[in-house]
Amino acid sequence: MMCAGELHSQEQHCCTPGCRVHGMLQPWLLLLLHEGPSHGYQLLDRLRRDGLASDPDPGLLYRTLRQLEEEGMVVSSWDTTRSGPARRRYELSPEGLDYLHAWVGEVARVRNQLDHFLSAYAQSFPPQAVNPEGKGGD
Amino acid sequence: MMCAGELHSQEQHCCTPGCRVHGMLQPWLLLLLHEGPSHGYQLLDRLRRDGLASDPDPGLLYRTLRQLEEEGMVVSSWDTTRSGPARRRYELSPEGLDYLHAWVGEVARVRNQLDHFLSAYAQSFPPQAVNPEGKGGD
DNA sequence: TTAGCATATATGTCGCCCACATATAGGAGT
DNA sequence: ACTCCTATATGTGGGCGACATATATGCTAA
């Protein structure tokens, strides 16, 4: 995690100003649900193991699922077949599938923007440039 | 820009929920300032032409520059040598240069995360997979 | 029995970044 | 005077993430 403040002072307990994947929870949930219906806690586990860099916040996850439901991207139903607390079973809707596809375009675009930045940086700081012309790099 | 709501209802005047480059204004400013001192309005122009996908918000830009100054990443001074309104000349500090380098690592990490998502998506939706085994894809 | 733990869902609060609107001011052209 | 361009700055509101906390079910150990 990085934050301008952290280079010269303490914390700022929150949300890492600076770069991070913002809003990637939604597409990850849509993608995981495309593989089959699931419930919040399980999605949390799958994200922990496979998806996001750091532990997704349960609060955010459940809020995001409810939001996706409000928007019609997923459909939920209570599942009380198993013992233990009732769980909400989420299922991807056709709209949700469309949304997932649309998301991918956005993500690819963002990735290209990051590439663009990294290229621009690489131009300003040529990696190990041993240049025969003798022009100074930095 | 994309927003779940936009697929089935109207607007939400603000901030594109969904994916976007979050917090990339800072590293872009640091990178541009590495090429030489500049002032806000000029940075805005350079970003418009070269950097970010969409017009950066002037308000955000000036706020970000002041924030970077508070954090010691840039140093500013008034420039009244030219006619017209006074302008603040921003210059990258050594700390700012360190910060830029740190940023690049973050950006690369995020890019890898986006790649990871795109790969996972590609696995779920194999591109044009004409599979000889005859197994249904979707 | 009751205390603790894992499972499972949910809300409160705060901070950051972004979008959009607006304010201020100097200088140039009409 | 009025408008436009340059240039900097603040107000306001929203979305998402981080962290804390509340709730309830069921199992197990003391």
Side-chain angles (χ1 to χ4, degrees):
Chain A
M1 298 302 196
M2 202 181 56
C3 161
E6 287 167 16
L7 286 182
H8 56 94
S9 81
Q10 305 291 33
E11 39 90 56
Q12 219 96 313
H13 90 297
C14 180
C15 45
T16 51
C19 198
R20 72 197 132 131
V21 187
H22 191 87
M24 283 301 287
L25 187 55
Q26 271 202 26
W28 270 115
L29 292 175
L30 295 171
L31 182 56
L32 291 179
L33 287 175
H34 169 256
E35 295 171 18
S38 188
H39 59 276
Y41 205 81
Q42 191 183 36
L43 291 165
L44 203 61
D45 256 21
R46 294 163 72 188
L47 284 171
R48 265 194 261 264
R49 279 197 299 270
D50 175 60
L52 299 167
S54 56
D55 280 359
D57 180 68
L60 181 57
L61 181 133
Y62 287 111
R63 258 191 278 251
T64 303
L65 285 170
R66 301 304 294 271
Q67 179 197 335
L68 285 171
E69 189 176 21
E70 273 180 42
E71 290 164 346
M73 302 303 164
V74 301
V75 180
S76 82
S77 55
W78 283 107
D79 175 10
T80 53
T81 59
R82 302 199 191 187
S83 78
R87 61 187 70 175
R88 249 181 225 281
R89 180 180 165 281
Y90 285 97
E91 195 174 358
L92 195 63
S93 74
E95 292 83 7
L97 184 57
D98 290 344
Y99 194 35
L100 171 57
H101 293 316
W103 255 108
V104 172
E106 281 294 307
V107 174
R109 198 169 311 139
V110 170
R111 205 206 46 168
N112 291 340
Q113 285 175 40
L114 299 187
D115 272 341
H116 180 203
F117 173 79
L118 293 171
S119 302
Y121 174 82
Q123 263 193 325
S124 286
F125 300 90
Q128 301 290 85
V130 183
N131 45 36
E133 257 95 344
K135 296 172 70 178
D138 193 341
Chain B
M1 297 308 191
M2 202 181 53
C3 161
E6 287 167 16
L7 286 181
H8 56 94
S9 81
Q10 304 292 35
E11 40 86 57
Q12 219 97 313
H13 91 297
C14 180
C15 66
T16 51
C19 199
R20 71 198 131 131
V21 187
H22 190 89
M24 284 300 287
L25 188 54
Q26 272 202 27
W28 270 114
L29 292 175
L30 295 171
L31 181 57
L32 290 179
L33 287 175
H34 170 257
E35 295 171 18
S38 188
H39 59 276
Y41 204 82
Q42 192 183 34
L43 291 165
L44 203 62
D45 255 20
R46 294 164 72 188
L47 284 171
R48 265 195 261 265
R49 279 198 299 268
D50 174 62
L52 300 167
S54 56
D55 280 359
D57 180 67
L60 181 57
L61 182 132
Y62 287 110
R63 256 189 279 249
T64 303
L65 285 170
R66 301 304 293 272
Q67 178 197 335
L68 286 171
E69 189 175 22
E70 274 180 42
E71 290 164 348
M73 303 303 165
V74 301
V75 180
S76 82
S77 54
W78 284 108
D79 175 10
T80 53
T81 58
R82 302 200 190 187
S83 78
R87 62 187 70 175
R88 248 180 225 281
R89 181 180 164 281
Y90 285 97
E91 195 173 358
L92 195 64
S93 73
E95 292 83 6
L97 184 58
D98 290 344
Y99 194 36
L100 172 58
H101 294 316
W103 254 108
V104 171
E106 281 294 306
V107 173
R109 199 168 311 139
V110 170
R111 204 204 45 170
N112 291 340
Q113 286 174 40
L114 298 188
D115 273 341
H116 179 203
F117 173 79
L118 293 171
S119 302
Y121 173 82
Q123 264 194 325
S124 287
F125 300 90
Q128 299 290 82
V130 182
N131 46 35
E133 256 93 349
K135 296 171 71 178
D138 192 338

